[in-house]
Amino acid sequence: MDLSKIDNPSLLKEMNTKQLEELAEEMRQFLIGNLAATGGHLGANLGVVELTLALHKVYTSPQDRLLWDVGHQSYIHKILTGRGNQFSTLRKYRGLCGFPKRIESEHDIWETGHSSTSLSAAMGMAIARDLKNESHSILPVIGDGALTGGMALEALNHIGHEKKSVTVILNDNEMSIAKNVGALHGALGRMRSAGKYNRAKDDLEWLLKKIPAVGGRIAQAAERLKDSMKYFVVPGMFFEELGFTYYGPVDGHDFEDLLENLNYAKKTEGPVIVHVMTQKGKGYHPAESDVKDKWHGVGPYKIESGEKIKPSSAPPAWSSVISETLRREARTDDRIVAVTPAMILGSKLEKFGEEFPDRLYDVGIAEQHATTLSAGLATQGMKPFLAIYSTFLQRGYDQVIHDVARQNLNVIFGIDRAGLVGADGETHQGVFDISFLRSVPNMVISMPKDENEAQHLVHTAVKYDDGPIAIRYPRGNAEGVDTDEELHTIPIGSWEILKDGKDGVILTFGTTIKMALEASKKLEEEGISICVVNARFMKPLDDSMLHDLMKKDIPVLTVEEAVLQGGFGSSVLEFAAEEGYRSQWIKRMGVPDRFIEHGSVPELWEEIGLTEEKIIENLKEMIPTKQQRA
């Protein structure tokens, strides 16, 4: 079958099991072949091929509402809903999004890139459905890793309490991005090993009905015994205690098992859990045998061997620079404890964990808990390092304010993937953290220009005992500079002049320093002298240097790979206003007031005007001509 020509999942309605199995194999080969060129979330999608086909066969989208938690496992859904012909553009600039996207298709009814949101959204949709007297099914598909998120548990509690007809598809592959942790994961493991509870309960009911009733008592006792079977067959039966009818465990790669249980669920009133067992990476050996889940999200690779296609020599990843410096510091400072919300691999903490297994805590997909856990550690004199992606720190914002900053606790925030992240797009762009952290009292925010400065900032953060401090660092590889053997502290709030100049000044940091220096060099060739400052602390500002620069009465251009509203440039404008300097001499460049979609970082820079050429253009507009200066 030409998968690029499928325009609607209705073709599945007439397919038999053999045809579905053949289509599933074609789907897998399609994914393996296409993602070898584009990269993407391979393991998760290979694991849900049969499940997605079965859901679309039993239910009718978009009349029935199908929600994908996190959304990185929606590729088969996209092919079935008419987007197979766009897979060569997957995660590319202005191409097919790697997550559900409402403007792409009427079948994408919920956009997401973060975990644990689908059940709350499904409950909202169920309430709306019932208020409008409609009758469609609502089916959130959530992984066992995402189910550890507090928001998912809050929604389960509410759905069960209200007895709403929501069919939760629990896709249990024993993994999220890395191996799952937590007591709930253990409970699911016991359910997996317990066999099919509902079928056992139904068989028992049939058997008991064959026993002649004696005075009615046996019949009543039999009913009670039937209902209590869950305590023997499935220890705890967590979901049924919450008010859900439980089906499973179901073999997620067996169409007969899937279709039988989904049809049971379709006929069941009220809250339902269908517990489906799948294998991440199913059908592609390198991904199937991936115990460290390096096939969760991949770049291009060689299909035959599974070898990743990467530059032969590249500087270390920013995450590695930070984590290795932390490991070095931990050897001489017993206070250091690393905490991460399910991102040991992404934040490159594996080696730290190997050397200090009792000082690394993966709390699962629970950013709020991770933040307050770190606060608790800090109250006891420890030095917690919370390694967390910028986009996920958003989920722990109340805890940053209420639990960490308000108590002025010594928590180090290692903010990974700060700035534009490229292919993962708008749900993952790490461009908001400066704005939402800058307004928080007691918070220090920094970002290194290269790996050498990064190691000194980590050392500075470990030695800093006056409250919380954040180190931002981008996705990808560092600059490839030599690093110092001896570490030293950098004075909090201090900036450095990278290039002096008298006609104007660029204040910038991190990823945009290189373009600022190049722009300054080109302007120098035209006789325009520009000062470039590494503003490595976004908070506090280097007030002393700002006074010196603004007293020169020359134009100031701020450049940041972050949102302009409330960002670093705004803080410079605030400083000028408070100190009586002319704000008309200040201009800001950064991310505009809109969500930035997917594409390579250079393409996104071009789209939003964050380029060397735009820096030159802005400075030329701001700097008076020689005649005006004369």
Side-chain angles (χ1 to χ4, degrees), residues 546 549-556 572-587 622 624:
L546 273 174
L549 293 169
M550 290 189 175
K551 282 176 182 175
K552 294 179 180 179
D553 209 26
I554 58 175
V556 175
V572 174
L573 279 171
E574 291 163 10
F575 174 88
E578 290 168 5
E579 299 296 332
Y581 296 109
R582 293 197 294 173
S583 61
Q584 63 265 37
W585 283 92
I586 302 170
K587 192 167 186 177
M622 296 169 71

Side-chain angles (χ1 to χ4, degrees), residues 291-450:
V291 295
K292 291 190 175 180
D293 211 39
K294 294 181 179 179
W295 284 88
H296 170 74
V298 296
Y301 56 90
K302 297 178 181 178
I303 296 175
E304 296 78 12
S305 64
E307 180 186 351
K308 309 293 176 63
I309 300 172
K310 292 184 177 180
S312 55
S313 60
W318 279 103
S319 303
S320 294
V321 172
I322 298 295
S323 64
E324 285 302 292
T325 307
L326 186 70
R327 184 160 70 115
R328 175 180 173 182
E329 291 285 301
R331 291 174 186 144
T332 56
D333 192 333
D334 293 339
R335 301 176 303 159
I336 294 174
V337 178
V339 179
T340 183
M343 286 294 166
I344 287 179
L345 299 179
S347 293
K348 302 290 191 292
L349 287 168
E350 307 101 304
K351 291 181 180 178
F352 185 98
E354 290 168 6
E355 187 168 348
F356 305 106
D358 59 341
R359 291 162 66 185
L360 171 62
Y361 288 88
D362 181 350
V363 303
I365 304 177
E367 294 84 2
Q368 293 173 304
H369 170 58
T371 307
T372 301
L373 168 67
S374 299
L377 281 164
T379 66
Q380 302 305 303
M382 305 303 285
K383 181 68 72 164
F385 183 97
L386 175 55
I388 187 168
Y389 289 11
S390 173
T391 184
F392 300 142
L393 182 59
Q394 295 162 190
R395 297 163 69 94
Y397 188 49
D398 176 63
Q399 288 69 32
V400 170
I401 295 174
H402 183 272
D403 299 333
V404 177
R406 190 181 56 81
Q407 301 185 83
N408 201 31
L409 296 172
N410 296 322
V411 174
I412 305 170
F413 292 90
I415 305 180
D416 203 342
R417 271 60 167 181
L420 296 168
V421 297
D424 279 339
E426 57 194 312
T427 59
H428 282 59
Q429 309 287 19
V431 295
F432 300 103
D433 56 85
I434 295 176
S435 291
F436 70 67
L437 289 178
R438 193 173 71 81
S439 60
V440 180
N442 297 327
M443 183 64 68
V444 172
I445 312 169
S446 64
M447 189 171 194
K449 69 178 185 294
D450 55 36

Side-chain angles (χ1 to χ4, degrees), residues 241-294:
E241 292 299 328
L242 283 176
F244 284 76
T245 299
Y246 175 85
Y247 292 102
V250 180
D251 184 343
H253 304 296
D254 183 322
F255 278 112
E256 291 185 359
D257 204 7
L258 278 166
L259 295 174
E260 177 185 4
N261 281 278
L262 288 176
N263 278 304
Y264 274 140
K266 191 174 184 180
K267 297 171 186 176
T268 304
E269 293 291 324
V272 175
I273 289 271
V274 182
H275 184 182
V276 181
M277 298 296 303
T278 61
Q279 180 184 7
K280 208 166 184 181
K282 176 76 172 175
Y284 184 50
H285 179 69
E288 281 184 344
S289 57
D290 177 22
V291 295
K292 291 190 175 180
D293 211 39
K294 294 181 179 179

